[in-house]
């Protein structure tokens, strides 16, 4: 079928990814071409799975795995990619190429690519050990329920780099259905390159969904190996994943799987004769060819669709065996290698095999050729031959190991699911297998094609695949292809560097990922940092947020309710968010005036702390700001280093929560990507030093990280790396998210943040009109040149001074706590920044202001006036001000006007 015909047939049909997009915010974005988005939607749908690494599943509409598709479309997609590879390589180099496909998803695709090249042998990895066949390699998959990838070529030299006399070595063509991060293929190349070095590799995929960083990584990898690496893909784009999607996906899967778990055996599928008309397929002219079957939905939202066990009547319904008369000596696929000579023998035999199947099908009008796990190519070619021989609709798909949620909704890619026991005596033991979009699809005949190894009693059992199929179609045919076993004993390959023994080197194995997530999974489970503009209003190079996006969660609570819950022990302050403060015009004028007044002072502090860090921690420290107060400071420090030294420092933001510690997963991410010794933690200011102590305790279990915090202002005398120890107004303390990239305070709550998740935060996109984050940064940075000389002089003096922490602030807080009868240092918030937070987020009781503090406290006085909080001027205060949270607060401790009053 031509691409134009496919597009015409898919017009005005619900996209099979819309259900997931609407609920999780997962989006597919094209490569910028005018029809890029539409092309991706034609190729891919979306589904959900119970998987600890990735909630969503990209479901290919042209792969022939999950979605029944015309065999000619499936085969043509791979064949065309193979033709493009041949054009890229040229005839001579194509003749020396070897094609390698990945089990199980890409075994048929890789074979079709090899057919497109026409002159290249083909091999695919396998999960099935074959007795008597030695391994020429293998790839171990950690964190996967599936068995290892094995390489079992009949010719042990197949993976070598063949070359003609005086000619360069031959290229290796690696084929996968999806190129997402590139980890799978790059790790494969690295492992193979150690034993079979060659000068050229070609990576082939249906879709290239890598990020810009992943693309750069491929370029760097090619330089590292010294080999040329080309990429050929049918379409390209990216997957946009909102933070928190994994947890939301888990909850969604759990909610929709519950009805399936509760389904009783007698609630199996309705007999075909009793099925409601709307559950059957749409007319061919109206159905999108890539979509799964059209079945009923509930209120437009869809319901879990598990076909359930077969009924007793269907279990005894016989199947019809078809003797294909598979040509002798032709392998069933590429498990042990498939050469051009094998291809030559198979092609002329296909029409006769199709005729035998067609005769057994009789008057069937809608036929599914169903393959079996890795056995994708043989049934695919049988399907293409049937299309030529039958005046009927022919579709093709295969069974799989991968569990995927089925939801009966036209906007979801997996509409139904058959579950049956494994029937090929797998090395990893018994387990469930699946066939998707078969039940309820209206097929009046299914041609199940397996190899002889899989033709076992389990296949024919009452709960086996044949019985499951019989419950959903009038006719089941069984075609068995002889399992090919190489007749010649293989050379011993036990010394291969691919050995998965405990003594193997790190390159001996790798973990990988694919659209069939349970088949190949990433070793790196943590996502990449969030960046603006998708998360925060900062430029993407300014900061990477090691957080998850909880923007869609309802987290805000009234200030008084939060305070009562926190002080009563009923909740932790990090489990909810205060309602974002919306400053009045008068308050915004105070912010602008404060910024104009103090910008140069802030710039000098920024320069001082940055130069101190560069002098003492090396020329390229990794800045890690404590979100969110530390993040504007981290951005400014990064700008200073670039402005004065032309150095782009990495900068990330992480969450730390008093009483709960720092985000351990963020630390693991940092340790995996940087030397922990290079990490410098950054915060805005110190109060009494609680976070300083919290960080020190939290890092005790992580090697290599220095617990020292670099801050803009250290009025509490808690750290030795600072810009100043004066307690002055840092304008970013005046506001909340609108001066911090529109990001909320961080959140740590068990139902939202799992053990493998980053802490969360919200992105207040709706406050964009009030955002002054960039204005604050630009205003301060504009003073860098004018303060440079003072910074240089100050840093020279500072580096020789005694900067040991005095903890003067902590002592003052303890004194104030007792003097005012509070008896809880956590309710005493010293310094301009912390006092501002009290007035914006908590229920304040009193404000202590240092006598004569002046304009630095203008915004404090205004906020106190607005909230009816008394300001008491005191002497001998080491801070400009101290905010006191209402002790023993209950909502009864406020007057009718909501203002705080002293408890009696």
């Amino acid at each position: 079928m031509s691409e134009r015909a496919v597009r015409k047939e898919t017009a005005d049909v619900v996209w099979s990814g819309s259900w997931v997009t609407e609920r999780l915010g997962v989006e597919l974005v094209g490569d910028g071409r005018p029809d890029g988005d539409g092309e991706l939607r034609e190729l891919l749908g979306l589904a959900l799975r119970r998987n600890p690494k990735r909630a969503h599943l990209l479901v290919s509409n042209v792969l022939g795995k999950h979605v029944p598709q015309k065999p000619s479309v499936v085969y043509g997609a791979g064949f065309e990619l193979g033709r493009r590879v041949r054009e890229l390589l040229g005839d001579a180099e194509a003749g020396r190429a070897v094609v390698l496909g990945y089990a199980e998803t890409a075994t048929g695709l890789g074979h079709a690519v090899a057919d497109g090249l026409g002159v290249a042998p083909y091999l695919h990895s396998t999960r099935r050990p074959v007795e008597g066949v030695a391994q020429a390699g293998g790839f171990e998959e950690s964190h996967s329920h599936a068995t290892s990838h094995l390489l079992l070529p009949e010719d042990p030299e197949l993976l070598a780099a063949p070359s003609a006399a005086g000619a360069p070595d031959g290229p290796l063509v690696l084929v996968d259905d999806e190129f997402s991060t590139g980890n799978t293929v790059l790790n494969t190349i690295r492992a193979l390159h150690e034993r079979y070095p060659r000068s050229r590799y070609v990576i082939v995929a249906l879709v290239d969904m890598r990020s810009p960083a992943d693309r750069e990584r491929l370029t760097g990898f090619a330089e590292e190996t010294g080999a040329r690496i080309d990429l050929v893909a049918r379409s390209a784009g990216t997957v946009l994943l909102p933070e928190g999607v994994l947890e939301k996906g888990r909850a969604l899967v759990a909610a929709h799987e519950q009805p399936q778990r509760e389904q009783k055996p007698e609630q199996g599928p309705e007999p075909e004769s009793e099925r409601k008309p709307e559950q059957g397929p749409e007319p061919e002219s109206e159905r999108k060819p890539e979509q799964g079957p059209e079945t009923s939905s509930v209120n437009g939202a869809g319901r879990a669709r598990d076909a359930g066990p077969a009924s007793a009547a269907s279990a005894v319904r016989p199947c019809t065996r078809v003797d294909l008369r598979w040509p002798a000596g032709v392998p069933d696929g590429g498990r042990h290698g498939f050469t051009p000579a094998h291809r030559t023998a198979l092609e002329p035999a296909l029409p006769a095999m199709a005729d035998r199947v067609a005769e057994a099908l009789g008057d069937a009008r809608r036929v599914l050729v169903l393959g079996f796990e890795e056995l994708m190519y043989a049934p695919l070619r049988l399907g293409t031959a049937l299309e030529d021989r039958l005046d009927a609709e022919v579709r093709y798909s295969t069974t799989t190991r991968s569990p995927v949620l089925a939801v009966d909704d036209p906007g979801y890619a997996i509409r139904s699911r058959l579950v049956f026991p494994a029937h090929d005596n797998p090395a990893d033991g018994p387990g469930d297998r699946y066939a998707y979009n078969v039940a309820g699809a209206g097929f009046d005949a299914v041609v199940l094609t397996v190899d002889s190894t899989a033709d076992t009693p389990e296949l024919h059992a009452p709960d086996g695949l044949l019985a499951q199929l019989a419950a959903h179609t009038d006719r089941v045919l069984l075609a068995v292809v002889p399992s090919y076993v190489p007749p010649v004993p293989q050379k011993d390959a036990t010394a291969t560097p691919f050995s998965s023994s405990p003594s193997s080197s790190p390159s001996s194995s790798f973990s990988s990922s694919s659209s069939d997530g349970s088949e190949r999974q990433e070793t790196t489970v943590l996502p990449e940092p969030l960046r603006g503009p998708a998360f925060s209003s900062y430029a993407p190079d300014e900061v990477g947020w090691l957080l998850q996006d909880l923007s869609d969660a309802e987290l805000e609570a009234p200030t008084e309710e939060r305070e009562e819950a926190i002080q009563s022990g009923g909740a932790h302050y990090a489990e909810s968010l205060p309602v974002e403060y919306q400053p009045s015009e008068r308050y915004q004028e105070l912010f602008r005036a404060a910024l104009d007044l103090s910008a140069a002072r802030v710039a000098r502090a920024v320069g001082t702390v940055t130069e101190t860090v560069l002098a003492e921690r090396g020329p390229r420290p990794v800045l890690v700001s404590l979100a969110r107060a530390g993040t504007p400071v981290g951005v400014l420090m990064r700008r200073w280093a670039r402005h004065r030294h032309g150095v782009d420092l990495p900068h990330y933001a992480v969450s730390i929560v008093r009483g709960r510690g720092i985000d351990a997963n963020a630390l693991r991410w940092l340790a995996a990507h940087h030397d922990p010794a290079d990490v410098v933690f950054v915060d805005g200011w110190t109060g009494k030093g609680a976070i300083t102590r919290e960080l020190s305790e939290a890092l005790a279990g992580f090697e290599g990280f220095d617990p020292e915090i670099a801050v803009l202002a250290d009025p509490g005398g808690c750290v030795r790396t600072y810009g100043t120890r004066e307690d002055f107004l840092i304008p970013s303390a005046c506001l909340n998210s609108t001066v911090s990239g529109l990001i909320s305070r961080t959140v740590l709550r068990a139902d939202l943040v799992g053990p493998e998740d980053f802490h969360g935060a919200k992105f207040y996109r709706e406050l964009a009109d009030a955002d002054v984050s960039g204005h604050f940064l630009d205003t301060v940075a504009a003073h860098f040149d004018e303060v440079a000389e003072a910074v240089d002089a100050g840093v020279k003096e500072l580096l020789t001074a005694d900067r040991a922490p005095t903890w003067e602030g902590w002592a003052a807080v303890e004194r104030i706590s007792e003097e005012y009868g509070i008896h809880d240092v956590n309710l005493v918030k010293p310094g301009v920044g912390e006092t501002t937070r009290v007035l914006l987020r908590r229920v304040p009781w009193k404000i202590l202001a240092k006598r004569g503090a002046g304009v630095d406290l203008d915004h404090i006085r205004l906020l106190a006036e607005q909230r009816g909080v008394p300001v008491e001027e005191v002497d001998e205060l080491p801070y400009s001000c101290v905010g006191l949270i209402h002790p023993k607060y209950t909502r009864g401790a406020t007057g009718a006007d909501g203002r705080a009053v002293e408890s009696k």
Side-chain angles (χ1 to χ4, degrees):
M1 175 183 285
S2 70
E3 186 168 315
R4 177 177 299 176
V6 170
R7 295 191 179 190
K8 180 179 179 181
E9 199 171 324
T10 62
D12 300 323
V13 178
V14 176
W15 175 48
S16 61
S18 58
W19 192 93
V20 174
T21 295
E22 290 168 4
R23 287 158 178 80
L24 294 186
V26 178
E27 296 182 32
L28 304 185
V29 180
D31 57 2
R33 292 180 295 114
D35 197 29
D37 290 0
E39 185 173 281
L40 277 183
R41 290 189 170 202
E42 289 175 5
L43 289 176
L44 298 172
L46 293 171
L48 298 178
R49 56 189 174 187
R50 183 175 291 280
N51 187 293
K53 309 299 184 297
R54 190 167 63 174
H56 73 285
L57 175 71
L58 297 179
V59 180
S60 175
N61 293 319
V62 297
L63 183 64
K65 175 55 70 172
H66 303 85
V67 178
Q69 177 58 278
K70 292 186 176 182
S72 56
V73 172
V74 176
Y75 185 66
F79 191 92
E80 177 58 27
L81 288 170
R83 300 303 297 174
R84 289 174 57 184
V85 173
R86 181 160 183 164
E87 292 174 5
L88 174 70
L89 295 176
D91 289 345
E93 199 164 8
R96 294 190 295 273
V98 177
V99 180
L100 176 62
Y102 289 94
E104 68 176 59
T105 309
T107 57
L109 176 65
H111 210 143
V113 169
D115 284 359
L117 264 76
V119 291
Y122 174 64
L123 177 73
H124 69 69
S125 64
T126 180
R127 302 187 185 284
R128 182 196 294 173
V130 180
E131 187 175 353
V133 180
Q135 298 180 30
F139 310 110
E140 196 71 26
E141 286 187 61
S142 59
H143 312 298
S144 175
H145 71 268
T147 57
S148 306
H149 285 272
L150 307 173
L151 295 179
L152 306 176
E154 179 175 0
D155 178 3
E157 297 302 315
L158 181 65
L159 287 172
S163 61
D169 54 82
L172 180 64
V173 180
L174 300 107
V175 183
D176 209 349
D177 57 318
E178 170 196 336
F179 198 33
S180 53
T181 64
N183 289 341
T184 300
V185 174
L186 297 190
N187 289 331
T188 306
I189 293 175
R190 181 178 285 110
L192 288 171
H193 199 73
E194 290 184 4
R195 187 176 186 189
Y196 308 117
R198 62 185 77 225
S199 59
R200 189 169 189 181
Y201 298 88
V202 180
I203 302 167
V204 182
L206 287 170
V207 289
D208 175 12
M209 306 298 283
R210 293 172 300 154
S211 67
D214 292 326
R215 296 173 189 274
E216 293 177 5
R217 192 155 53 92
L218 176 62
T219 302
F221 180 83
E223 295 173 355
E224 173 189 333
T225 60
R228 175 177 174 178
I229 302 177
D230 297 290
L231 173 67
V232 175
R234 174 166 170 168
S235 290
T238 55
V239 183
L240 299 183
L241 298 174
E243 222 19 61
V245 67
L246 184 59
E247 189 63 27
K248 294 175 186 175
R250 288 173 182 164
L252 201 54
V253 170
H256 281 77
E257 278 190 339
Q258 186 62 33
Q260 296 179 6
R261 288 193 294 269
E262 294 174 350
Q263 188 181 49
K264 298 178 182 179
E266 60 268 26
Q267 291 176 316
E270 296 175 321
E272 186 71 25
S273 60
E274 298 177 14
R275 190 174 304 141
K276 295 179 181 180
E278 62 267 25
Q279 291 178 304
E282 290 181 349
E284 176 66 21
S285 61
E286 297 177 12
R287 186 185 307 113
K288 181 176 181 179
E290 302 88 8
Q291 281 189 320
E294 291 293 327
T295 51
S296 64
S297 60
V298 179
N299 297 327
R303 65 174 185 273
R305 177 64 181 269
D306 195 325
S311 66
S314 65
V316 299
R317 186 183 299 170
C319 69
T320 302
R321 281 185 178 268
V322 178
D323 182 6
L324 292 177
R325 301 180 192 174
W326 188 264
V330 175
D332 52 285
R335 181 179 289 110
H336 305 297
F338 198 97
T339 67
H342 293 141
R343 186 176 301 113
T344 299
L346 176 63
E347 290 294 334
L350 285 170
M353 288 191 282
D355 284 341
R356 297 181 186 100
V357 173
E359 182 178 357
L361 285 171
D363 60 354
R365 306 308 302 163
R366 181 167 164 79
V367 178
L368 173 67
V369 179
L370 183 64
F372 157 65
E373 295 187 24
E374 294 175 13
L375 189 75
M376 297 185 70
Y377 182 75
L380 174 60
R381 296 310 316 280
L382 183 62
T384 58
L386 275 173
E387 276 188 288
D388 293 336
R389 319 298 284 187
L390 288 177
D391 185 22
E393 180 186 353
V394 179
R395 297 282 166 152
Y396 160 82
S397 63
T398 64
T399 66
T400 177
R401 290 170 169 257
S402 300
V404 184
L405 177 70
V407 176
D408 192 8
D409 189 281
Y412 189 84
I414 304 296
R415 302 292 301 279
S416 66
R417 177 177 71 177
L418 291 177
V419 185
F420 54 93
H423 54 92
D424 63 335
N425 299 316
D428 55 341
D432 286 341
R433 300 294 186 262
Y434 308 89
Y436 297 111
N437 293 324
V438 177
F443 294 114
D444 48 21
V446 175
V447 182
L448 175 62
T449 308
V450 302
D451 59 8
S452 55
T453 299
D455 187 15
T456 63
E458 289 82 3
L459 177 65
H460 299 264
D463 62 343
L465 176 56
L466 287 171
Q468 295 287 346
L469 293 173
H472 298 279
T473 186
D474 293 329
R475 190 174 306 166
V476 178
L477 274 59
L478 177 62
V480 180
V481 179
S483 298
Y484 182 79
V485 178
V488 180
Q490 302 302 292
K491 295 180 181 179
D492 181 24
T494 57
T496 172
F498 299 95
S499 169
S500 57
S501 66
S503 61
S504 62
S505 67
S507 62
S508 301
S509 63
F510 66 88
S511 296
S512 54
S513 68
S514 78
S515 62
D516 237 355
S518 61
E519 296 169 10
R520 291 193 304 280
Q521 296 178 6
E522 301 284 352
T523 54
T524 302
V525 300
L526 295 172
E528 289 300 299
L530 299 173
R531 296 184 182 274
F535 187 82
S536 87
S537 60
Y538 291 131
D541 63 329
E542 300 266 36
V543 59
W545 302 85
L546 293 174
L547 298 171
Q548 60 169 311
D549 188 354
L550 300 180
S551 299
D552 294 332
E554 293 293 334
L555 296 170
E556 290 79 7
T559 301
E560 289 76 13
E561 290 182 12
R562 292 184 72 250
E563 193 65 46
E564 182 175 8
I566 291 168
Q567 292 198 32
S568 68
H572 190 277
Y573 78 89
E575 294 177 347
S576 62
L577 293 174
V579 177
E580 274 290 295
Y581 172 68
Q582 300 299 308
S584 65
E585 180 56 35
R586 181 183 172 192
Y587 189 86
Q588 292 180 59
E589 289 176 2
L590 277 177
F591 166 78
R592 290 189 288 267
L595 179 58
D596 291 341
L597 185 66
S598 62
R601 195 175 181 183
V602 174
R604 180 172 176 177
V606 167
T608 300
V609 70
T610 308
E611 293 295 343
T612 302
V613 166
L614 293 173
E616 296 187 334
R617 299 294 296 275
R620 289 191 60 84
V622 177
L623 304 179
V624 178
S625 59
L626 303 181
R628 71 184 165 183
T631 304
V633 178
V635 174
L636 285 169
M637 291 176 67
R638 186 180 184 280
R639 287 192 178 190
W640 178 278
R642 183 170 55 186
H643 182 76
R644 291 294 309 278
H645 304 285
V647 177
D648 281 322
L649 301 182
H651 176 215
Y652 307 98
V654 302
S655 168
I656 187 169
V657 177
R658 181 175 53 79
R660 303 284 180 87
I662 197 168
D663 188 338
N665 287 321
L667 291 183
R668 294 187 185 100
W669 190 96
L670 289 167
H673 292 80
H674 299 281
D675 185 345
D678 292 335
V679 169
V680 177
F681 293 98
V682 175
D683 208 355
W685 55 85
T686 64
K688 55 182 173 288
I691 291 299
T692 304
R693 295 186 177 191
E694 189 81 40
L695 180 64
S696 181
E697 293 174 4
L699 292 178
F702 293 86
E703 292 185 9
F705 289 99
D706 188 333
E708 177 72 27
I709 303 180
V711 300
L712 206 58
D714 179 37
C718 306
V719 300
R720 63 182 304 277
T721 306
Y722 50 84
T724 180
R725 274 187 167 157
E726 297 177 358
D727 184 22
F728 74 101
L729 172 60
I730 301 171
S732 60
C734 289
L735 299 171
N736 283 330
S737 66
T738 53
V739 78
S740 305
L742 298 181
I743 301 301
S744 74
R745 204 212 59 236
T746 60
V747 174
L748 178 58
R749 206 169 80 189
D751 62 325
L752 296 174
V753 179
E756 295 181 349
D757 296 331
F758 294 139
H759 293 187
K762 299 186 76 166
F763 175 23
Y764 291 114
R765 298 169 177 86
E766 66 274 16
L767 300 181
D769 290 344
D771 187 27
V772 294
S773 304
H775 175 63
F776 169 69
L777 297 173
D778 293 343
T779 303
V780 173
H783 292 272
F784 282 171
D785 286 334
E786 75 179 66
V787 302
E789 187 175 337
V791 166
D792 291 342
V795 170
K796 184 177 180 180
E797 181 179 345
L798 196 62
L799 291 174
T800 60
D802 179 11
R803 293 178 284 134
T806 64
W807 293 97
E808 176 186 5
W810 189 276
V813 166
E814 289 182 325
R815 175 178 58 79
I816 292 170
S817 176
E818 295 306 311
E819 181 178 330
Y820 282 82
I822 297 173
H823 310 301
D824 184 352
V825 293
N826 290 323
L827 300 182
V828 180
K829 302 295 184 180
V832 177
E834 293 302 306
T835 301
T836 304
R837 287 180 170 185
V838 169
L839 289 163
L840 293 180
R841 302 182 190 173
R842 305 294 291 270
V843 175
W845 182 38
K846 294 180 180 180
I847 303 299
L848 308 182
K850 187 175 184 178
R851 200 177 306 277
V855 294
D856 276 345
L857 300 189
D858 282 352
H859 77 291
I860 295 289
R861 295 186 182 96
L862 176 59
L863 285 174
E865 176 187 328
Q866 291 176 343
R867 299 202 64 181
V869 179
V871 177
E872 180 179 326
E873 292 197 350
V874 297
D875 298 311
E876 299 181 359
L877 198 65
Y879 301 94
S880 296
C881 60
V882 175
L884 305 183
I885 296 173
H886 203 297
K888 300 180 181 178
Y889 175 79
T890 67
R891 274 171 283 181
T894 59
D897 58 0
R899 297 182 175 184
V901 297
E902 259 187 81
S903 58
K904 304 299 183 183

